[in-house]
Amino acid sequence: MLKKENKTDVIVVGAGPAGIACAVTIARAGRNVVLIERGMFPGAKNMFGGAIYTNSVKDIFPNFESDAPLERRNIEHNFAILGESDSTTITYRKNDNTSYSVIRGKFDRWMAEEARKAGVYVVTETVVRKVIKEGKRVVGVSTELEDYYADIVILADGVNSLLAHQIGLRKDIETKDVALSVKEVIKLDKDTINQRFGLKDDEGAIVEIFGGSMLGMLGLGFLYTNNDSVTIGLGITLNELVENNYKPFEILEKLKQHPSISHLIEGGTLKEYSAHLIPEGGYKKVPKLVDNGVMIVGDAAMLVNNLHWEGTNLAIVSGKLAGQTAVESLNTGDYSKKFLKKYEKDIKESFVMKDLHTYRNLMDIAHQRKKAFFSYYFKKINAFFDMFTSVDGTPKKENYHKFIKSIFTDRKLTELFKDAWAIIRLLWSILI
Ligand SMILES: Cc1cc2nc3c(=O)[nH]c(=O)nc-3n(C[C@H](O)[C@H](O)[C@H](O)COP(=O)(O)OP(=O)(O)OC[C@H]3O[C@@H](n4cnc5c(N)ncnc54)[C@H](O)[C@@H]3O)c2cc1C
């Protein structure tokens, strides 16, 4: 028998995008839901790059484009490959509203306020320490102050998810399956940002950064424009940082000094510094998502598509699907693992698992061939443009021959074959 004190229909742990989307879905179906967050307010502890994606947020909050605290509408994506002091950048510009830059401290807080209006009981400054089980079933959670009981508990407590680990749904995270990310928010006035990035007031730009100070490690840098600040950071797989004994903020410092980056942040003042882990394991590392009386969503379930920098949308969709299953489970009074597996089935049929499945071999291949793809070929791309743009009296044909010859002298033929084979394997698994 469940204890009656403090009992509610559903407890959701963690007020990030996954937990909020989940709690709202349940409250809108007329059920009681308590959302427990450790931060002083939702978003206080959260950081990301970052961009939120319109279609997933709009699905939960149709009014968000007019009401939410958004920074800029991202109209430009830059892909910058950095060399020692040179760089090659591809720019894609499209005037649409696919994504917005946001500051999580403001945005998560706004979403949680909307959740409150929808009937969610939001508890802040409360850390959930333990999941309570009766027999084989999860029946509640323990906080520092008291125990809360519910028919269903949903864990949306982010990448570390100590709670999912406690009940055996998650194993220890391997250091190669997470990236350690550090970022700075640098204050700059709006006009300077507009001028430097060629933007109008509500328009934003994203720069995805490869190579440079990341020294061939498996990692990427990023830069996002906010209203009156710029976010710059990077994420590198934790095993590489540990093996090489690199300090991520030193790498970030070097990145900021690169001539292709420094002018974008010049004159700015540091407003905020933060660090966070990103799940990088992909499809093969997604754990079992349900057990009796419990489901896991968002980063806690390792649902991140790292190639596309998508995490909040996967979190929101998984939260919504788990919320829907919770409502059906409450309606039938069946809280068993067997019933809750409907959430696993729904998520498999959604773009979330389909996309993770598409890239199921990406990280294995990236780990195997990182020296090639995160160092050698980046150098070669910059070397090509160096050759192509040089004007020194050398006949062009000679330059081309020299460049082609260097491909075969700088890298062994067997390695080039292995690289080509890796690309074929990767494309095969993505497209077929
Ligand atoms: C550097 C970086 C850049 C990123 N860039 C992007 C991007 O541009 N676009 C994108 O879509 N995604 C991006 N992501 C990924 C995205 O941030 C995550 O996928 C997303 O935030 C996951 O949402 P979530 O709700 O599952 O977890 P979180 O947002 O981590 O929320 C978990 C919540 O649970 C709370 N919590 C944890 N433990 C407890 C506990 N025991 N008790 C109570 N509360 C608890 C935390 O305080 C937090 O509020 C980025 C991530 C990083 C780190």
Side-chain angles (χ1 to χ4, degrees):
M1 280 290 288
L2 297 184
K3 294 174 188 131
K4 289 278 177 265
E5 70 270 26
N6 295 330
K7 174 148 182 305
T8 185
D9 291 334
V10 183
I11 292 168
V12 180
V13 183
I20 294 173
C22 184
V24 167
T25 305
I26 295 164
R28 285 185 185 150
R31 291 298 185 162
N32 294 322
V33 51
V34 178
L35 176 61
I36 307 179
E37 166 59 41
R38 67 181 171 177
M40 203 165 24
F41 55 84
K45 297 253 178 197
N46 298 345
M47 77 85 118
F48 82 150
I52 50 108
Y53 299 96
T54 303
N55 82 324
S56 56
V57 183
K58 204 170 190 164
D59 188 38
I60 306 292
F61 301 113
N63 56 333
F64 93 97
E65 281 178 289
S66 56
D67 295 2
L70 304 173
E71 297 294 309
R72 288 173 185 256
R73 185 169 52 87
N74 295 312
I75 62 147
E76 187 177 289
H77 283 252
N78 297 281
F79 302 88
I81 298 170
L82 306 188
E84 290 263 314
S85 58
D86 55 352
S87 65
T88 306
T89 304
I90 297 174
T91 299
Y92 176 72
R93 202 175 238 253
K94 186 181 175 200
N95 194 1
D96 74 357
N97 63 342
T98 301
S99 76
Y100 290 86
S101 58
V102 300
I103 306 280
R104 292 283 300 273
K106 295 185 206 166
F107 187 71
D108 288 12
R109 197 173 195 173
W110 176 84
M111 285 198 295
E113 200 41 51
E114 293 295 294
R116 216 173 245 141
K117 288 183 204 159
V120 175
Y121 187 73
V122 184
V123 181
T124 53
E125 292 186 84
T126 304
V127 182
V128 171
R129 295 280 180 214
K130 233 180 97 208
V131 174
I132 306 172
K133 283 180 98 172
E134 273 184 9
K136 288 188 169 171
R137 184 180 152 198
V138 169
V139 295
V141 296
S142 285
T143 71
E144 284 148 328
L145 296 177
E146 55 189 323
D147 295 344
Y148 289 78
Y149 290 86
D151 290 322
I152 299 169
V153 172
I154 295 172
L155 303 178
D157 51 340
V159 55
N160 288 320
S161 195
L162 301 176
L163 302 172
H165 189 266
Q166 243 175 47
I167 54 171
L169 280 177
R170 281 260 308 262
K171 300 196 179 96
D172 286 338
I173 301 179
E174 286 182 56
T175 52
K176 71 174 182 39
D177 293 332
V178 280
L180 177 60
S181 177
V182 290
K183 79 160 198 187
E184 289 182 2
V185 179
I186 295 174
K187 198 163 171 46
L188 277 171
D189 69 69
K190 199 172 185 154
D191 290 341
T192 307
I193 295 174
N194 290 349
Q195 196 194 341
R196 281 185 191 170
F197 291 86
L199 301 168
K200 292 194 199 124
D201 273 358
D202 75 322
E203 294 174 348
I206 300 173
V207 189
E208 295 192 23
I209 306 162
F210 307 85
S213 66
M214 284 165 281
L215 299 171
M217 289 185 285
L218 206 47
L220 301 176
F222 54 85
L223 187 154
Y224 291 84
T225 53
N226 305 313
N227 266 327
D228 57 2
S229 63
V230 164
T231 297
I232 182 164
L234 52 82
I236 295 176
T237 44
L238 191 52
N239 65 327
E240 302 225 61
L241 290 169
V242 174
E243 278 161 25
N244 295 303
N245 199 18
Y246 286 133
K247 300 194 173 49
F249 37 90
E250 286 171 4
I251 302 172
L252 179 57
E253 209 42 56
K254 276 200 195 128
L255 177 67
K256 282 163 51 191
Q257 286 161 15
H258 192 282
S260 301
I261 301 293
S262 58
H263 68 284
L264 298 172
I265 52 174
E266 195 180 302
T269 47
L270 180 66
K271 207 172 138 190
E272 192 186 304
Y273 176 83
S274 51
H276 206 279
L277 292 177
I278 312 176
E280 296 265 302
Y283 183 80
K284 293 177 186 170
K285 295 300 162 105
V286 175
K288 292 215 173 342
L289 301 180
V290 303
D291 206 342
N292 296 305
V294 66
M295 293 182 263
I296 51 176
V297 295
D299 274 15
M302 309 293 270
L303 303 174
V304 166
N305 179 343
N306 54 2
L307 182 67
H308 292 265
W309 286 100
E310 291 180 30
T312 54
N313 52 338
L314 279 63
I316 288 172
V317 171
S318 63
K320 178 184 164 180
L321 294 176
Q324 286 170 343
T325 295
V327 171
E328 287 174 40
S329 163
L330 291 165
N331 290 343
T332 57
D334 184 349
Y335 316 114
S336 66
K337 176 176 166 179
K338 196 169 163 218
F339 190 93
L340 298 182
K341 269 180 180 274
K342 183 179 176 304
Y343 159 57
E344 267 185 357
K345 183 173 161 283
D346 289 347
I347 206 158
K348 266 191 190 130
E349 286 167 6
S350 75
F351 82 91
V352 172
M353 279 308 206
K354 284 184 179 166
D355 284 355
L356 293 187
H357 184 261
T358 296
Y359 295 120
R360 65 197 174 282
N361 293 326
L362 176 72
M363 287 314 281
D364 288 345
I365 293 174
H367 276 286
Q368 284 160 18
R369 308 305 300 160
K370 64 181 176 234
K371 285 275 178 285
F373 296 122
F374 284 75
S375 177
Y376 177 73
Y377 291 108
F378 288 161
K379 281 188 189 142
K380 276 292 172 224
I381 288 168
N382 282 320
F384 173 82
F385 284 104
D386 183 29
M387 177 273 292
F388 195 80
T389 56
S390 73
V391 183
D392 60 1
T394 314
K396 301 295 180 210
K397 195 181 272 187
E398 240 176 71
N399 278 342
Y400 280 123
H401 285 172
K402 206 167 140 199
F403 178 76
I404 292 167
K405 198 174 160 205
S406 78
I407 295 178
F408 297 97
T409 49
D410 294 357
R411 194 158 174 79
K412 284 186 193 149
L413 203 57
T414 49
E415 291 302 313
L416 291 171
F417 276 122
K418 283 183 191 166
D419 300 342
W421 179 235
I423 291 172
I424 292 167
R425 273 194 301 145
L426 186 59
L427 289 178
W428 185 268
S429 71
I430 289 173
L431 300 173
I432 308 300

